[in-house]
Amino acid sequence: ATAAQQIASALPRFWEISGNFTEGRAWLDAALAIDPAPTEDRARALISLATLARRQGDFDRAVEAYEAGLEIFRTLDDSSGIATALNNLGVVAQDRGDYGRARELLTEALTYFESEDDQLRSAACLNNLGLVARRSGDLPEAQRLYERSLALWTELEEPLRQALSLNNLGVVAYAMGDGQTAEARYREALSAYRAQEDRSGTAMTLNNIAEVLFDRQDVSGAVVDWQESLALRSVQGDRVGIAECLVGLGRAALRAGLNDLALAMLATAMRLRTETGVSLPQNEREVQDKVVAELRRAVGGADFERSWTAAQARSVESVLEQAAKASESLIDAAAA
């Protein structure tokens, strides 16, 4: 049990980069099932399992595993483990839109990391606090926190984590209406993610670049990036990311006049977001509501309701297959 839990809990970053979230969870579940003794190794394996579950949008399982790990760390009086669990629970709280609770958990974790001069984890916690600030609408504070995390990760020579901060600074610039700076940040991050063969980070930044291109009226370019992002996230089983890409492709399909395709993608995206319980920032929710309203007008009230209900009953796999088959026709329609 000890060896299995040590090995499995050492690999989540590998599974994140390679996009094999489901495989990673299976190995961690197997390692945890060998022996339920409340050891430090078991606690670390639970934290690792929870992180992969969170990346797939399985927030209930993530919270369950994080709290189980936290309980063991408290029993062992392991301050570092306690802070790590608190940091991760703060991330889930912000994913679910509970920004007050998220800030409370993350601030408590940061106090510990800074007191121990743990720069790596301090940078991660600052990045997470930046995400909470951004989603709460405080963009200047988000930018300040992201820049602090970037400075630490640059000093520590952590290229993948630098890429994360660059991406997040791009998100802030985009929210401030500076698409040029946003794209520059995104492409700098994308270059680092591709160089390190980080599929998860690549998928995230491709989605963000697609949004900038779409706003610039380069719909066909946006579709290409959304399709690649969707393919990567489909392999990962990242349901939150899949929904994000489907909303983007649904917007492109609607603009190109492919209403049936738009309806299938948007209905599936809405269902996935309901199932995962992910909370959207106000600006993203407004974009989502606007495109659904436009589609409703284009299709017609009664026909829309009937088609929307039928689309939401479809399997995600069938919609992903439809999106892949429609890729070329969508690009051509968007270009036209």
Side-chain angles (χ1 to χ4, degrees):
T2 298
Q5 289 168 10
Q6 287 177 346
I7 293 169
S9 63
L11 289 169
R13 189 63 185 143
F14 161 73
W15 284 313
E16 284 190 84
I17 291 172
S18 61
N20 297 321
F21 297 141
T22 301
E23 178 186 349
R25 289 179 66 178
W27 281 113
L28 283 157
D29 278 328
L32 288 164
I34 298 173
D35 186 353
T39 62
E40 179 184 349
D41 293 317
R42 180 176 182 81
R44 299 200 181 283
L46 284 164
I47 299 298
S48 298
L49 172 64
T51 297
L52 294 180
R54 181 180 64 79
R55 291 300 305 274
Q56 287 191 309
D58 189 354
F59 297 134
D60 289 341
R61 180 64 178 122
V63 170
E64 179 186 358
Y66 280 140
E67 289 183 343
L70 176 60
E71 182 179 352
I72 295 174
F73 282 133
R74 288 195 189 281
T75 300
L76 299 174
D77 196 25
D78 184 330
S79 298
S80 177
I82 291 169
T84 298
L86 290 171
N87 174 69
N88 287 314
L89 283 167
V91 174
V92 177
Q94 81 80 25
D95 283 340
R96 286 179 151 172
D98 190 350
Y99 302 131
R101 178 61 174 159
R103 190 177 294 106
E104 177 185 330
L105 289 163
L106 292 168
T107 300
E108 183 179 354
L110 180 62
T111 299
Y112 170 79
F113 293 141
E114 290 184 334
S115 70
E116 294 295 313
D117 196 28
D118 188 337
Q119 291 186 310
L120 184 64
R121 292 182 181 178
S122 292
C125 211
L126 287 165
N127 178 77
N128 294 335
L129 281 164
L131 185 55
V132 173
R134 177 175 67 80
R135 291 198 164 193
S136 300
D138 191 346
L139 297 179
E141 175 67 2
Q143 182 172 341
R144 185 186 70 82
L145 289 163
Y146 286 147
E147 286 175 345
R148 284 182 63 192
S149 71
L150 176 60
L152 284 172
W153 278 332
T154 301
E155 182 181 342
L156 294 168
E157 298 182 351
E158 290 278 345
L160 286 177
R161 299 181 188 277
Q162 289 175 54
L164 177 60
S165 285
L166 287 167
N167 173 81
N168 290 342
L169 283 166
V171 174
V172 171
Y174 180 74
M176 290 178 168
D178 186 353
Q180 184 175 356
T181 298
E183 184 178 2
R185 294 288 198 183
Y186 292 151
R187 292 202 181 278
E188 192 176 352
L190 179 62
S191 178
Y193 282 131
R194 288 202 190 278
Q196 298 290 324
E197 299 183 359
D198 185 328
R199 297 178 186 176
S200 179
T202 297
M204 174 180 63
T205 48
L206 282 169
N207 174 82
N208 293 341
I209 292 170
E211 290 182 341
V212 175
L213 295 178
F214 187 82
D215 288 349
R216 195 180 294 157
Q217 311 304 318
D218 182 1
V219 183
S220 56
V223 168
V224 171
D225 284 347
W226 268 321
Q227 289 281 11
E228 184 180 354
S229 179
L230 179 62
L232 289 168
R233 285 165 156 176
S234 298
V235 171
Q236 297 164 18
D238 178 1
R239 296 191 297 162
V240 174
I242 289 170
E244 189 173 46
C245 290
L246 287 176
V247 169
L249 288 167
R251 293 171 67 195
L254 177 60
R255 184 169 295 185
L258 304 176
N259 293 342
D260 289 344
L261 182 61
L263 197 145
M265 291 179 173
L266 290 167
T268 302
M270 299 306 101
R271 194 185 88 211
L272 283 171
R273 284 177 166 173
T274 299
E275 289 174 352
T276 58
V278 67
S279 174
L280 294 178
Q282 181 64 28
N283 62 318
E284 292 183 31
R285 188 161 54 249
E286 288 173 356
V287 169
Q288 173 184 289
D289 293 346
K290 181 180 178 181
V291 71
V292 172
E294 289 178 3
L295 181 59
R296 184 188 300 272
R297 287 194 296 271
V299 175
D303 288 339
F304 174 85
E305 295 297 339
R306 183 167 52 253
S307 299
W308 185 269
T309 300
Q312 285 204 314
R314 292 178 57 184
S315 69
V316 175
E317 291 73 21
S318 70
V319 175
L320 293 177
E321 184 177 354
Q322 180 183 2
K325 288 180 178 178
S327 179
E328 289 188 16
S329 60
L330 178 54
I331 291 171
D332 291 342

